[in-house]
Amino acid sequence: MTRYKATIAYDGTDFAGFQTQVNQRTVQAELEKVLTKLNSYEPVILQGSGRTDAGVHAFGQVIHFDLLGQPRDLERLRFGLDTQTPADIAVKKIEQVDEQWHARYCKHEKIYEYYLENAVTRSPFSRNAKAYFRYPLDFDRMQEALSVLTGTHDFTGFTASGSSVDDKVRTISQAEVIQLDEENFKFVFRANGFLYKQVRNMVGTVIKIGNDRMPVSQIEKILMTKNRDFAGPTAAPEGLYLKEVIYDQGE
Amino acid sequence: MTRYKATIAYDGTDFAGFQTQVNQRTVQAELEKVLTKLNSYEPVILQGSGRTDAGVHAFGQVIHFDLLGQPRDLERLRFGLDTQTPADIAVKKIEQVDEQWHARYCKHEKIYEYYLENAVTRSPFSRNAKAYFRYPLDFDRMQEALSVLTGTHDFTGFTASGSSVDDKVRTISQAEVIQLDEENFKFVFRANGFLYKQVRNMVGTVIKIGNDRMPVSQIEKILMTKNRDFAGPTAAPEGLYLKEVIYDQGE
């Protein structure tokens, strides 16, 4: 057995999310189908750094998996996997790793990006690739709200209810908004982990603040009360990209 | 009756092309469905500046149509048409024009853009939005080939056989390639008109020249002999965008 780490990109539009679900088209299932073929038809179960929801994209999701036999030629393996998976998945890089290495449990930070089109008319080219908000947004108010989110907090108020994780304290080391052009914003979040729907709930809240329908102080209130009801709506999935998973050195 | 000129964008991925065809999803048919509704259910037939093929996109196609009654509020009409058409069509602008004005017959130039990803791995996000070529491309050779195409020529050798147009002389006032980044090229063509599949045949030929599998002098040969067999393959539709239709002033 040899363990491999792979960096993949996918367009989440036509997937029911990353993780395998019965009778659904998922990124994991599509990859495992091909990996099993490349493993002399012995089933392969892969592990991702985490899940992404239906419609959410990835520029750089990281997975690991084991294949029978000696280490393989990495570019040949990458090319085989890339060309045999559907066109909405790309396999960008494969490395050989120690058999202890684990995409989920090895310590890492994640970077998410969120693309938002803020224009009078929604572009037909962004309908699956960016979220859309028609009304005015105040850049400074959004940046201020994001600066309150930065740091170590209990993010219970920004996660979906029914989440099974106990410890909801996370450290956000970067939370900012960039104005790409007159009609486009990009939000960037970097943290040692994110709770279920946390990024989309933070973006939905920040948009509401940017549109002046919530005070900036609401962020503090949501963090303190841990009450999801005070937060804005969950922002649409099509704007969200798992940009990068950054592992600690030596792991 | 009042005549309107509209500028529209569409993602061509899920259309069988611009022009109405029996039992096919087309841009024209989707627009006419809504226009007819806005015209008290009296059928509306629109005219485009020209057709685009299946999979080809538009940033700025121009159409005209007539609606019953007095001139309407233009922003209200635009908004109604934009929001009632499917998400892969956007209505960007509506102007009222003279009843003689004609999207196809009023003198105009067209600008087409062609996006090409030139990378080892095809991005899942460009699969419907850019063409893809895996092998090396020489920028200078492509630019040289494009400069030979510029000017007034008989483009018979670059059109699909069976084309019904008699006069195949066109004037290309701009033909250039721009390197957008390490993995992306954009071709720009401006002319007083293009023949059926002309842009894609020119791009397919220029790519072959850029990959050094055809001499630059082949362009001259195709123009002189008017023989399609000497040209490269028709480049894929998903890279092509009708960027703009520029009408002469006063028309």
Side-chain angles (χ1 to χ4, degrees):
Chain A
M1 289 286 241
T2 307
R3 181 158 290 191
Y4 302 92
K5 168 190 178 184
T7 306
I8 62 170
Y10 46 85
D11 177 342
T13 308
D14 297 330
F15 290 108
F18 176 79
Q19 184 167 291
T20 300
Q21 293 177 56
V22 180
N23 292 330
Q24 300 272 11
R25 184 173 186 263
T26 65
V27 178
Q28 183 179 0
E30 292 294 336
L31 282 162
E32 287 177 351
K33 244 189 273 177
V34 180
L35 285 168
T36 296
K37 236 168 82 182
L38 299 176
N39 199 43
S40 312
Y41 292 94
E42 286 296 318
V44 178
I45 306 292
L46 67 81
Q47 272 285 345
S49 71
R51 314 172 187 185
T52 55
D53 281 332
V56 174
H57 316 289
F59 290 126
Q61 167 72 292
V62 175
I63 61 171
H64 82 255
F65 53 84
D66 298 324
L67 296 181
L68 293 170
Q70 293 301 305
R72 310 196 181 187
D73 179 85
L74 296 174
E75 174 52 21
R76 234 181 111 185
L77 178 58
R78 186 202 68 76
F79 185 77
L81 197 52
D82 183 47
T83 49
Q84 289 177 65
T85 44
D88 45 3
I89 299 176
V91 180
K92 297 168 77 174
K93 194 178 171 184
I94 295 197
E95 299 157 82
Q96 193 191 321
V97 288
D98 189 275
E99 62 186 21
Q100 307 301 314
W101 194 87
H102 196 290
R104 183 162 168 210
Y105 297 126
C106 285
K107 209 177 159 191
H108 63 266
E109 287 196 303
K110 283 201 179 95
I111 299 176
Y112 274 98
E113 291 183 342
Y114 195 94
Y115 286 82
L116 181 69
E117 183 177 20
N118 181 219
V120 174
T121 306
R122 185 172 194 175
S123 161
F125 304 104
S126 68
R127 70 192 198 283
N128 296 320
K130 298 175 194 169
Y132 175 69
F133 188 75
R134 186 185 157 79
Y135 305 99
L137 288 173
D138 184 310
F139 179 86
D140 292 334
R141 283 175 66 87
M142 294 199 288
Q143 190 59 278
E144 211 187 322
L146 290 165
S147 74
V148 184
L149 286 166
T150 310
T152 302
H153 307 284
D154 184 319
F155 286 98
T156 302
F158 286 102
T159 190
S161 56
S163 161
S164 59
V165 185
D166 280 342
D167 179 11
K168 286 167 179 150
V169 175
R170 296 290 182 278
T171 299
I172 294 186
S173 55
Q174 182 188 10
E176 58 175 327
V177 57
I178 296 157
Q179 180 129 27
L180 299 175
D181 58 41
E182 266 188 24
E183 301 190 330
N184 287 284
F185 291 102
K186 175 169 86 170
F187 298 88
V188 184
F189 297 94
R190 179 174 176 154
N192 60 352
F194 292 94
L195 302 167
Y196 186 53
K197 295 213 170 145
Q198 182 186 339
V199 177
R200 287 163 58 192
N201 287 343
M202 292 191 299
V203 171
T205 305
V206 169
I207 288 173
K208 218 164 167 183
I209 291 170
N211 186 234
D212 215 357
R213 289 181 300 136
M214 237 183 212
V216 174
S217 62
Q218 189 91 355
I219 297 285
E220 196 64 46
K221 186 171 171 184
I222 301 160
L223 292 173
M224 299 306 287
T225 59
K226 305 186 176 75
N227 188 344
R228 171 76 185 85
D229 295 341
F230 291 135
T234 305
E238 67 266 22
L240 187 59
Y241 293 75
L242 174 52
K243 167 76 170 171
E244 202 181 343
V245 187
I246 302 157
Y247 291 90
D248 278 16
Q249 280 190 313
E251 285 196 286
Chain B
M1 291 283 244
T2 307
R3 180 158 291 190
Y4 302 92
K5 168 189 178 187
T7 305
I8 61 170
Y10 46 85
D11 177 344
T13 308
D14 298 331
F15 290 109
F18 175 79
Q19 184 167 289
T20 300
Q21 293 175 56
V22 180
N23 292 328
Q24 301 273 10
R25 184 173 188 264
T26 64
V27 177
Q28 183 179 0
E30 291 295 335
L31 282 162
E32 287 177 351
K33 244 189 275 178
V34 180
L35 285 169
T36 296
K37 235 167 84 181
L38 300 176
N39 198 43
S40 311
Y41 292 92
E42 286 295 318
V44 178
I45 305 292
L46 66 82
Q47 271 285 343
S49 72
R51 314 172 187 186
T52 55
D53 281 330
V56 173
H57 316 290
F59 290 127
Q61 167 73 292
V62 175
I63 60 172
H64 82 255
F65 53 85
D66 298 323
L67 296 181
L68 292 169
Q70 293 302 306
R72 310 196 181 187
D73 179 86
L74 295 175
E75 175 51 21
R76 233 181 113 183
L77 178 58
R78 187 203 68 76
F79 185 78
L81 196 51
D82 182 48
T83 49
Q84 289 177 66
T85 45
D88 45 3
I89 298 176
V91 179
K92 297 168 77 174
K93 194 178 173 185
I94 294 197
E95 299 156 83
Q96 191 192 322
V97 287
D98 189 276
E99 62 186 23
Q100 306 302 315
W101 194 86
H102 197 287
R104 183 162 167 212
Y105 298 125
C106 284
K107 209 177 160 192
H108 62 268
E109 286 195 303
K110 284 199 177 97
I111 299 176
Y112 275 97
E113 292 183 339
Y114 195 94
Y115 286 80
L116 181 68
E117 183 178 22
N118 181 217
V120 174
T121 307
R122 187 172 193 173
S123 162
F125 303 104
S126 67
R127 69 192 198 285
N128 297 322
K130 299 175 193 169
Y132 174 67
F133 187 75
R134 184 185 159 76
Y135 305 101
L137 288 173
D138 184 308
F139 179 85
D140 292 334
R141 282 176 66 88
M142 293 198 289
Q143 190 58 278
E144 210 187 323
L146 290 164
S147 74
V148 183
L149 285 166
T150 310
T152 302
H153 307 283
D154 183 318
F155 286 98
T156 302
F158 286 101
T159 190
S161 56
S163 160
S164 59
V165 186
D166 279 340
D167 179 11
K168 286 164 179 153
V169 175
R170 296 290 182 278
T171 299
I172 295 186
S173 55
Q174 182 188 11
E176 58 174 327
V177 57
I178 296 157
Q179 180 130 27
L180 298 174
D181 58 41
E182 267 188 23
E183 302 190 329
N184 287 285
F185 292 102
K186 175 169 88 170
F187 298 88
V188 184
F189 298 93
R190 178 173 177 156
N192 60 352
F194 292 94
L195 303 168
Y196 186 52
K197 293 210 172 149
Q198 182 187 340
V199 178
R200 287 162 62 192
N201 288 342
M202 292 191 298
V203 170
T205 305
V206 169
I207 288 173
K208 219 166 166 180
I209 291 170
N211 186 235
D212 214 357
R213 289 182 300 136
M214 237 183 211
V216 174
S217 62
Q218 189 91 355
I219 297 284
E220 194 63 45
K221 188 173 170 182
I222 301 161
L223 292 173
M224 297 307 287
T225 60
K226 306 186 175 78
N227 187 344
R228 171 78 186 80
D229 296 341
F230 291 134
T234 305
E238 67 267 22
L240 188 60
Y241 293 75
L242 174 52
K243 169 75 172 171
E244 203 180 341
V245 187
I246 303 156
Y247 291 89
D248 278 16
Q249 281 192 313
E251 287 196 285

